[in-house]
Amino acid sequence: MDIKQRAIDNLKGQVGSESSEPPVRPKASVLIPLFVKNGEFYVLLTLRSEQLRTNAGEVCFPGGKSDPQDTDEIHTALREAEEEIGIPPDQVEVVCRLLDPIVSKGGLLVTAVVGFIDGSFLPRPNPAEVSEVFAVPLNLFVQKKDHSMFGAPGMFLHSFQFLDSDSGRQYRIYGLTAAFAIIVAVLALGKWPEFDIDLGSGSFADRINSRINRTMSKL
């Protein structure tokens, strides 16, 4: 079995369900785009435009709010990824919803959708939403070297520093984006993180902690 198929099998074992929250809470989806290059897993991330009203200048997965015409969370993730980085939906091999939906710091009910893309894909970022698109080795998210944690009300958040050797740019990846990346890395790589994954207490932290622990118990 090749590494991609093994990762797909592991990821499908952690499939999340569709949102069952009341419809009054706004929904959003993100796409976690994976690819294999030279026998290693990578994930695409975006740097949000400084012109946006929310999360400006932050590193995120491509994604956004649900539109009325979206059929489900997967549709939202694929549509938003096409709008933000120019990848057609038919070029994404959707694997699963990573987790049950999680409420973000902004009050959105966020679903993470994992999909594989071709390693030769060339992003076409929409400058109104995305200022940069870059690839990160998935292994970063289980290593202690570039990992840290910082406090937030009622919890702790994971943070990673990534130096892109191609551009020379330094990026900070943290919060929900980092939590999703850790879970994907644990499953796809079959590795336990070198750091403590406990986030503290509180409803948001408890939900993330339970999903990370559930994921790790399957290895």
Side-chain angles (χ1 to χ4, degrees):
M1 183 184 298
D2 64 22
I3 60 170
K4 178 181 173 181
Q5 188 57 53
R6 183 165 58 247
I8 289 173
D9 291 345
N10 287 343
L11 287 160
K12 284 186 174 178
Q14 294 292 319
V15 174
S17 62
E18 292 190 51
S19 169
S20 58
E21 294 280 336
V24 292
R25 187 180 294 281
K27 296 180 181 180
S29 294
V30 297
L31 178 67
I32 302 178
L34 301 175
F35 65 92
V36 179
K37 180 180 178 182
N38 298 327
E40 294 186 32
F41 288 103
Y42 288 81
V43 62
L44 279 188
L45 287 160
T46 72
L47 185 69
R48 288 172 62 84
S49 168
E50 294 285 358
Q51 309 306 314
L52 294 173
R53 289 180 297 176
T54 59
N55 306 117
E58 293 187 4
V59 172
C60 298
F61 292 112
K65 292 182 181 179
S66 174
D67 280 351
Q69 68 269 24
D70 293 342
T71 56
D72 58 17
E73 291 92 344
I74 293 175
H75 187 170
T76 301
L78 295 177
R79 176 184 54 75
E80 285 285 337
E82 183 174 27
E83 291 177 5
E84 291 188 1
I85 65 173
I87 186 162
D90 62 5
Q91 291 184 21
V92 180
E93 180 185 355
V94 174
V95 177
C96 66
R97 297 177 178 86
L98 181 63
L99 306 165
D100 294 342
I102 293 176
V103 180
S104 73
K105 64 181 180 181
L108 297 173
L109 196 63
V110 181
T111 296
V113 176
V114 183
F116 274 92
I117 64 174
D118 193 281
S120 63
F121 168 67
L122 296 177
R124 300 187 304 278
N126 176 355
E129 299 185 64
V130 173
S131 59
E132 299 175 38
V133 182
F134 59 100
V136 179
L138 196 58
N139 198 49
L140 175 82
F141 300 106
V142 292
Q143 294 180 327
K144 187 176 182 178
K145 180 170 67 77
D146 297 302
H147 171 266
S148 63
M149 297 189 77
F150 65 97
M155 64 184 297
F156 293 96
L157 297 175
H158 292 278
S159 178
F160 297 88
Q161 294 291 332
F162 172 65
L163 176 62
D164 188 341
S165 59
D166 292 333
S167 66
R169 288 289 306 274
Q170 182 94 21
Y171 300 95
R172 183 187 183 211
I173 306 160
Y174 68 97
L176 188 57
T177 299
F180 284 152
I182 292 169
I183 297 171
V184 171
V186 166
L187 287 169
L189 302 174
K191 293 182 179 180
W192 290 61
E194 298 173 353
F195 46 82
D196 183 6
I197 54 86
D198 185 44
L199 297 172
S201 61
S203 60
F204 177 82
D206 289 343
R207 293 186 73 187
I208 292 289
N209 280 331
S210 68
R211 281 154 178 77
I212 293 177
N213 288 327
R214 184 180 68 184
T215 294
M216 294 171 65
S217 71
K218 300 294 184 180
L219 297 180

